[in-house]
Amino acid sequence: MAHELIERHHATLESALVAFAARDYWSPHPETPKAYGEPVDLAALQGRELLLDQPGTDGRVGPEPENGGERSPFGPELRVSYPHASDPSLLTAAARAAQPAWAEAGPLLRAAVCCEILHRINARTPEFATAVMHTTGQAYGMAFQAGGPHAQDRGLEAVACAYAEQTRLPVSAEWTKPQGKRDPLRMVKEFTAVPRGVALLVGCNTFPTWNGYPGLFASLATGNPVVVKPHPRAVLPLALTVAVAREVLADAGFSPDLVLLAAEQPGEGLAKALALHPDVRIIDYTGSTEFGEWLEDNARQALVYTEKAGVNTILVDSTDDYQGMLGNLAFSLSLYSGQMCTTPQNLLIPRDGIGTDQGPKSYQEVVADLGGAVGRLLGDDTRAAALLGAIVNPGVLQRIELAEKGEYGELALASRQIASEEFPEAVIRTPALVSLDAARDALPGECFGPIAFAVAVDSTAQGVELLRDTVRDLGAMTAAAYTTSSEVESAVVGACLDAGVSLSLNLTGQVFVNQTAAFSDLHGTGANPAANSAYCDAAFVASRFRTIEVRRHS
């Protein structure tokens, strides 16, 4: 089957390589639900046993919440069981034992097998969408796209990039050095991409597939086995991924233990134990700054790729489409209740106001009009629920309550509770908007969730410097600006290049600052404290293997 996979996926891989270089839109994965048939109800997932026939299994995680089972942010218990390993070393030992044949397969066959894994995952997109929805709190439409085709695109992007980097050098080369009247020196030199070792993927609660697939497939495509440690509240999407990967690997003649699931029981602390294991040579992590920094400081035997927290900032100087700007900002603040690493948080607005196509607008008018735009967008509860999703964890709700009490500053727009007839137990809240003054108030660090801050600044110039300083000191995954001035645009671009954050300018239509497209946009930069890597550039994959040379006389 293995060679058949090369033929089957050759065209997809070639198209992915072209798209990766061109940076235009391309995707082999349809993003409309009607392309995949009937949706999968939660009832079809509840009660499953995903035991996966893994080595070292001594019991199970779940299905009861007290034993590690998941509960949907929309209310129901999932009651799914996963394998529990008696000792993490048994997982890493099995992964190491599976690695030699996978390394010997070479970059092309590995890429083809990875493409087949993604192909089979894509065929089950409705199932994955429901799993993502009921572990993350994303509304179904977003869970379908971000957890399905868009995540699959990011995985394929990593496979293409990994293949390109592994084949950058020739497999062999002849070297001839003239020696004047003597015979030339002749050598044959061979170059082999050699994997680093066992990779560990530490999954996140909010985007288990979208944030998980780049590292998973970058490591697997470069020859490294992967141990997948999901977030305890979002096991199911990655467990399904592991099940598909193990099936494909076995069908292709490789050990399924190249991909293993490490589910944990409550309080087990499995991520730390695995991260410090000497066999683990690569770690991919998305989550809190605290644990990300712990990994960077302590997992010294491994290459550690982290995406942590940051404060995403938008500078509002002027606009030639005031209503378009307000609508775009309202959507960006509301999508998935602001529970995205790319959601804007601080909006820097000159206290003397801004220029618009509707005439000058004072700071107070901009803040009030933005609140009105959010209100209109989310005025209907059914529509609001389909955009907001559910609050993912109690910490987010606590921050909303602090904003309501005025703990962060003057409340310009109160958060509203949304009732869902379909999921009455779900906690659904609209964004809160807090008004601050940079001359008087200390600006907050990351405030994850549906809370944004309108910040009055002395001038656009001060706003540019504040944006730069925020990114340098606290990190950011995104930045944006609205201006009709070429001078201001140049200043903002310079600040973002200097601080190391990607910039979106004057978004007023259906492109939003908190969304990025695989094969075109980079997610993160690796140049500020929010993340030390980017999805997906050469730096994200190239150190997952080393090229070893063998030379001999011709």
Side-chain angles (χ1 to χ4, degrees), residues 154-230:
R154 282 295 184 191
L156 182 56
E157 176 186 54
V159 172
C161 186
Y163 178 76
E165 291 306 312
Q166 289 174 99
T167 55
R168 190 169 297 282
L169 297 180
V171 174
S172 64
E174 294 187 1
W175 181 84
T176 303
K177 182 179 180 180
Q179 296 291 297
K181 295 181 179 180
R182 293 174 293 167
D183 291 339
L185 297 177
R186 299 182 187 275
M187 301 286 290
V188 173
K189 305 181 180 187
E190 299 169 350
F191 303 93
T192 303
V194 177
R196 276 188 173 268
V198 177
L200 170 65
L201 169 63
V202 182
C204 68
N205 191 178
T206 49
F207 289 88
T209 56
W210 198 97
N211 278 107
Y213 283 6
L216 168 62
F217 284 99
S219 288
L220 198 59
T222 50
N224 305 283
V226 185
V227 177
V228 178
K229 210 300 288 184

Side-chain angles (χ1 to χ4, degrees), residues 7 17 24 27 47 70 77 139 149 180 186 191 253 267 300 323 355 358 362 435 542 548:
E7 274 199 42
L17 290 166
D24 197 359
S27 172
E70 299 137 292
E77 291 182 11
R186 299 182 187 275
F191 303 93
R300 296 301 182 90
Q323 291 303 319
Q358 298 181 11
S362 68
S435 180
I548 308 300

Side-chain angles (χ1 to χ4, degrees), residues 45-62:
L45 299 177
Q46 288 174 306
R48 284 192 183 182
E49 288 191 349
L50 293 174
L51 300 184
L52 303 179
D53 192 27
Q54 291 190 166
T57 299
D58 67 347
R60 63 185 184 178
V61 174

Side-chain angles (χ1 to χ4, degrees), residues 199-205 207-208 211-212 214-216 219 227 229-232 271-272 275 282-296 299 303-309 341 477 523 529-535 540 544:
L200 170 65
L201 169 63
V202 182
C204 68
N205 191 178
F207 289 88
N211 278 107
L216 168 62
S219 288
V227 177
K229 210 300 288 184
H231 190 284
K272 283 189 174 182
I282 301 166
I283 299 173
D284 287 279
Y285 169 76
T286 300
S288 71
T289 295
E290 181 182 9
F291 191 64
E293 290 180 345
W294 183 91
L295 288 170
E296 292 165 350
L303 269 175
V304 179
Y305 298 89
T306 58
E307 181 189 312
K308 299 168 290 190
C341 62
M477 296 302 294
H523 176 71
N532 67 8
S533 56
Y535 306 156
F540 185 68
R544 296 172 193 260

Side-chain angles (χ1 to χ4, degrees), residues 34-376:
K34 65 181 181 181
Y36 297 91
E38 293 298 314
V40 173
D41 291 334
L42 176 61
L45 299 177
Q46 288 174 306
R48 284 192 183 182
E49 288 191 349
L50 293 174
L51 300 184
L52 303 179
D53 192 27
Q54 291 190 166
T57 299
D58 67 347
R60 63 185 184 178
V61 174
E64 303 83 4
E66 59 270 20
N67 194 43
E70 299 137 292
R71 179 186 291 275
S72 169
F74 293 96
E77 291 182 11
L78 270 59
R79 303 194 65 78
V80 180
S81 300
Y82 309 101
H84 179 266
S86 58
D87 184 343
S89 295
L90 297 176
L91 297 178
T92 59
R96 283 190 63 192
Q99 183 175 353
W102 185 238
E104 189 176 345
L108 181 57
L109 181 52
R110 289 197 295 264
V113 173
C114 288
C115 286
E116 178 66 16
I117 295 171
L118 286 163
H119 175 73
R120 294 195 196 179
I121 288 172
N122 176 254
R124 294 169 62 176
T125 291
E127 181 182 359
F128 275 82
T130 300
V132 169
M133 175 182 179
H134 285 285
T135 52
T136 68
Q138 294 177 31
Y140 183 77
M142 182 177 187
F144 189 98
Q145 290 192 342
H150 296 174
Q152 297 151 21
D153 286 346
R154 282 295 184 191
L156 182 56
E157 176 186 54
V159 172
C161 186
Y163 178 76
E165 291 306 312
Q166 289 174 99
T167 55
R168 190 169 297 282
L169 297 180
V171 174
S172 64
E174 294 187 1
W175 181 84
T176 303
K177 182 179 180 180
Q179 296 291 297
K181 295 181 179 180
R182 293 174 293 167
D183 291 339
L185 297 177
R186 299 182 187 275
M187 301 286 290
V188 173
K189 305 181 180 187
E190 299 169 350
F191 303 93
T192 303
V194 177
R196 276 188 173 268
V198 177
L200 170 65
L201 169 63
V202 182
C204 68
N205 191 178
T206 49
F207 289 88
T209 56
W210 198 97
N211 278 107
Y213 283 6
L216 168 62
F217 284 99
S219 288
L220 198 59
T222 50
N224 305 283
V226 185
V227 177
V228 178
K229 210 300 288 184
H231 190 284
R233 288 192 293 266
V235 182
L236 183 56
L238 289 178
L240 292 173
T241 301
V242 170
V244 173
R246 290 175 64 83
E247 175 188 78
V248 171
L249 288 162
D251 288 350
F254 296 100
S255 169
D257 293 340
L258 286 162
V259 181
L260 294 152
L261 182 72
E264 63 180 331
Q265 292 170 341
E268 190 171 359
L270 190 54
K272 283 189 174 182
L274 283 167
L276 297 179
H277 196 286
D279 286 345
V280 171
R281 306 306 302 276
I282 301 166
I283 299 173
D284 287 279
Y285 169 76
T286 300
S288 71
T289 295
E290 181 182 9
F291 191 64
E293 290 180 345
W294 183 91
L295 288 170
E296 292 165 350
D297 293 340
N298 291 279
R300 296 301 182 90
Q301 85 290 352
L303 269 175
V304 179
Y305 298 89
T306 58
E307 181 189 312
K308 299 168 290 190
V311 177
N312 302 317
T313 301
I314 295 182
L315 175 67
V316 182
D317 166 73
S318 54
T319 178
D320 58 8
D321 184 358
Y322 187 58
Q323 291 303 319
M325 179 189 79
L326 293 174
N328 192 280
L329 289 175
F331 186 92
S332 296
L333 296 175
S334 302
L335 184 62
Y336 186 29
S337 300
Q339 298 171 126
M340 304 172 69
C341 62
T342 50
T343 299
Q345 176 178 304
N346 291 355
L347 311 177
L348 309 180
I349 307 166
R351 72 178 74 258
D352 292 334
I354 67 171
T356 80
D357 57 317
Q358 298 181 11
K361 297 288 183 179
S362 68
Y363 168 83
Q364 290 79 9
E365 286 178 304
V366 175
V367 174
D369 290 347
L370 178 57
V374 172
R376 288 189 298 275

Side-chain angles (χ1 to χ4, degrees), residues 73-76 133-134 137 139-140 380-391 416-429:
F74 293 96
M133 175 182 179
H134 285 285
Y140 183 77
D380 177 78
D381 279 9
T382 301
R383 181 185 180 190
L387 181 61
L388 294 166
I391 298 300
R416 185 171 70 89
Q417 188 158 338
I418 300 293
S420 169
E421 292 185 9
E422 185 178 8
F423 300 108
E425 295 181 68
V427 178
I428 305 174
R429 299 294 294 267

